[in-house]
C-alpha cells in the first residue's frame, strides 16, 4: 500500500507515521506537511529513512494532484489545530482546514483514491456539565470557535463529495489526544513543561471544563481500523471514556511530578470556552471491534511526563515563543 499522510510532521500525524512504520512495514509512507510552527521535521527523525517527507501545502492543487496520483490511500491530518490561535487570526484556519480539504477531495475524486478524513468532536459544540448525554454520530453540528467551525465545514465537504461524486471516504471525529510529540502550546504539554521549568501551571477560568482524553496511539489504532474495515461514507466517533476536568488534570500532573496539588494559578478564560465534550464510541467498538490499549489516564499521563522529561531537546526550541504568545493573551 502507498499511503499519503498529510500533516504527518504534527502531533497526531507523526505518531500515526511512527505506528505505521512499526506495525505495517509493507506500507510505503509519504508525508505532505507545510512544516508550519506546529510541524517539526524532528518528530519524524526516528523514522526518517523509512518515510518520504514532502514539504508543501495541502491547498497547493498541483502538488496535491501529483502526490494523490501516486498513492492508494490518503489520510488527512493536516490542519490548523489550536483554538486560541483561531480566535486571534482565523484566516489560516479557513485556508488550510477548508480550502486544503477541498483541494484533497478534488484530487481523490479525480484519481479515485480511498480517503480518510481526521476530525474532532469539537464540531458538535459542547455539553452541559450535568448532562448525562454523550456525542453520537447523530448529534447535530454546533461548533463554537473558528477552529471547530472550519473543521465542521471540512467534514461537510467530505460528506457532500461522498454523496455527489461517489468519493470513497470515511470520517472520524476524535476527542482530546495526549501523548508524545504534542506541541507545548497545548494544555497537557504546556503544564508538564512549565513544571519542568519550575513555573506554576496555568488553569483557564475555574477549570471545570471537561475533556474526554484519549492516548494518541489509541486514536491512531482506531484510524487504521476505519481505513481497513470502515464503511464508505460513514462517520466514526473515537473516544476511550476518559472524561476528566481540567482542574483534576492539572492536579494529577502536579502529583505525578512530585509537586503540591495546589501549586497552580488561575488565568483568564478563553472566550466561548466549551464546557464539556464526551464521546460515545459504540459504533467503532461494535462494528469494527476496536478497543483502546491505554486503560488508565494516570498511566498514560505518567508515560507522557516521562517522554517530555526525556525529550527536552525536542520541545525546548518552541517553549519561549509559545509562552510569549500566551503572555500577550494574559494566559
Ligand atoms: N489534538 C487533538 O486533541 C485532536 C483531537 C481530535 C482531532 N484532531 C485533529 O487531528 C488532526 C491533527 O491534529 P494535531 O493535534 O496533530 O495538530 P498539529 O497542529 O500538531 O499538527 C498539524 C500538522 O499539519 C501541518 N499543516 C498545517 N497547515 C498545513 C498546510 N496548509 N499544508 C500542509 N500541512 C499543514 C502542520 O505543519 C503540522 O505538522 C487535525 O485535523 C485536528 O483537527 C486533533
Amino acid at each position: 500500500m502507498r499511503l499519503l499522510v498529510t500533516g504527518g510532521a504534527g502531533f497526531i500525524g507523526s505518531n500515526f507515521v511512527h505506528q505505521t512504520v512499526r506495525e505495517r512495514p509493507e506500507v510505503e509512507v509519504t508525508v505532505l506537511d507545510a512544516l508550519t510552527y506546529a510541524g517539526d521535521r524532528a518528530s519524524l527523525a526516528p523514522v526518517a529513512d523509512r518515510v518520504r517527507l514532502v514539504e508543501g501545502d495541502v491547498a497547493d492543487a498541483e502538488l496535491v494532484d501529483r502526490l494523490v496520483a501516486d498513492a492508494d490511500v490518503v489520510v488527512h491530518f493536516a490542519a490548523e489545530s489550536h483554538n486560541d490561535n483561531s480566535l486571534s487570526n482565523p484566516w489560516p484556519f479557513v485556508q488550510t482546514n477548508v480550502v486544503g480539504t477541498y483541494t484533497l477531495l478534488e484530487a481523490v475524486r479525480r484519481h479515485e483514491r480511498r480517503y480518510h478524513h481526521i476530525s474532532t468532536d469539537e464540531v458538535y459544540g459542547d455539553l452541559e456539565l450535568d448532562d448525562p448525554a454523550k456525542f453520537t454520530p447523530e448529534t447535530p453540528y454546533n461548533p463554537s470557535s473558528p477552529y471547530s467551525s472550519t473543521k465542521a465545514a471540512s467534514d461537510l465537504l467530505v460528506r457532500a463529495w461522498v454523496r455527489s461524486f461517489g468519493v470513497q471516504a470515511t470520517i472520524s471525529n476524535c476527542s482530546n489526544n495526549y501523548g508524545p510529540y504534542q506541541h507545548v502550546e497545548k494544555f497537557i504539554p504546556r503544564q508538564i513543561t512549565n513544571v519542568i521549568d519550575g513555573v506554576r501551571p496555568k488553569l483557564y477560568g475555574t477549570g471545570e471544563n471537561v475533556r474526554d482524553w484519549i492516548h494518541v496511539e489509541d486514536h491512531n489504532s482506531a484510524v487504521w481500523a476505519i481505513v481497513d474495515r470502515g464503511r464508505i461514507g460513514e462517520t466514526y466517533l473515537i473516544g476511550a471514556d476518559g472524561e476528566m476536568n481540567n482542574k483534576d488534570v492539572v492536579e494529577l500532573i502536579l502529583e505525578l511530578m512530585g509537586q503540591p496539588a495546589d501549586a497552580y494559578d488561575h488565568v483568564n478564560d478563553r472566550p466561548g470556552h466549551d464546557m464539556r465534550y464526551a464521546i460515545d464510541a459504540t459504533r467503532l467498538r461494535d462494528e469494527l471491534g476496536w478497543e483502546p490499549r491505554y486503560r488508565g489516564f494516570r498511566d498514560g499521563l505518567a508515560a507522557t511526563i516521562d517522554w517530555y522529561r526525556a525529550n527536552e531537546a525536542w520541545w525546548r526550541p518552541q517553549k519561549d515563543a509559545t509562552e510569549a504568545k500566551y503572555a500577550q493573551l494574559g494566559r
Side-chain angles (χ1 to χ4, degrees):
M1 178 198 284
R2 296 167 306 165
L3 176 70
L4 177 63
V5 181
T6 74
F11 164 45
I12 307 175
S14 65
N15 278 283
F16 182 74
V17 170
H18 286 250
Q19 202 166 324
T20 301
V21 166
R22 204 167 54 234
E23 294 172 5
R24 300 182 180 228
E26 73 286 3
V27 175
E28 283 175 34
V29 183
T30 298
V31 167
L32 170 61
D33 198 297
L35 298 177
T36 67
Y37 80 96
D40 192 344
R41 224 175 255 284
S43 302
L44 293 173
V47 290
D49 56 335
R50 301 279 307 280
V51 171
R52 178 164 75 118
L53 171 59
V54 177
E55 184 175 347
D57 192 329
V58 284
D60 177 342
E62 204 183 304
L63 174 63
V64 164
D65 187 76
R66 218 171 340 116
L67 294 174
V68 168
D70 279 347
D72 302 306
V73 175
V74 179
V75 181
H76 177 37
F77 290 94
E80 284 293 335
S81 69
H82 191 39
N83 269 310
D84 284 332
N85 292 345
S86 83
L87 295 167
S88 27
N89 184 17
W91 170 245
F93 289 74
V94 176
Q95 172 65 19
T96 289
N97 300 359
V98 183
V99 180
T101 299
Y102 159 79
T103 307
L104 277 162
L105 283 170
E106 283 292 85
V108 293
R109 172 188 172 199
R110 252 189 318 273
H111 297 288
E112 299 183 355
R113 297 299 191 254
R114 173 81 171 85
Y115 173 83
H116 181 70
H117 185 72
I118 303 289
S119 192
T120 165
D121 61 354
E122 298 188 31
V123 299
Y124 298 115
D126 62 354
L127 300 160
E128 298 296 331
L129 288 181
D130 57 0
D131 184 347
K134 295 186 173 202
F135 298 136
T136 73
E138 284 71 43
T139 305
Y141 276 32
N142 187 25
S144 311
S145 71
Y147 164 63
S148 51
S149 61
T150 55
K151 292 299 293 186
S154 70
D155 294 6
L156 297 180
L157 291 179
V158 179
R159 289 186 185 185
W161 262 244
V162 169
R163 171 128 184 205
S164 302
F165 304 124
V167 163
Q168 300 286 296
T170 40
I171 299 175
S172 56
N173 298 83
C174 188
S175 60
N176 282 55
N177 286 220
Y178 70 97
Y181 297 106
Q182 187 168 29
H183 195 282
V184 292
E185 71 185 355
K186 299 296 193 321
F187 178 59
I188 287 181
R190 185 178 183 214
Q191 313 308 341
I192 295 172
T193 53
N194 275 349
V195 176
I196 291 173
D197 278 349
V199 173
R200 288 162 71 89
K202 310 239 183 324
L203 190 62
Y204 284 14
T206 59
E208 285 168 300
N209 312 62
V210 171
R211 300 294 176 257
D212 191 350
W213 293 100
I214 183 171
H215 194 278
V216 63
E217 289 196 10
D218 286 331
H219 180 178
N220 285 329
S221 69
V223 170
W224 266 117
I226 298 164
V227 170
D228 286 341
R229 307 187 290 282
R231 275 185 293 139
I232 297 303
E234 205 56 81
T235 291
Y236 293 88
L237 268 54
I238 306 175
D241 298 322
E243 279 186 68
M244 192 182 267
N245 75 32
N246 290 346
K247 181 169 171 291
D248 290 344
V249 173
V250 165
E251 289 178 359
L252 184 55
I253 290 171
L254 285 163
E255 183 204 321
L256 291 169
M257 297 184 77
Q259 302 292 318
D262 61 352
Y264 61 87
D265 295 321
H266 292 273
V267 293
N268 63 16
D269 208 351
R270 172 191 293 157
H273 202 181
D274 281 340
M275 212 54 218
R276 172 172 163 254
Y277 306 134
I279 287 273
D280 177 345
T282 304
R283 173 178 289 169
L284 180 68
R285 288 173 186 261
D286 289 0
E287 217 179 87
L288 305 185
W290 172 86
E291 286 296 330
R293 210 161 51 85
Y294 285 83
R295 292 284 168 189
F297 181 59
R298 191 187 177 89
D299 291 348
L301 190 58
T304 304
I305 291 169
D306 289 345
W307 190 88
Y308 279 90
R309 280 195 166 125
N311 289 278
E312 186 170 338
W314 180 84
W315 58 264
R316 178 60 67 194
Q318 317 154 352
K319 184 68 180 165
D320 287 351
T322 302
E323 289 305 321
K325 254 202 244 175
Y326 276 119
Q328 279 179 349
L329 296 171
R331 293 185 207 126

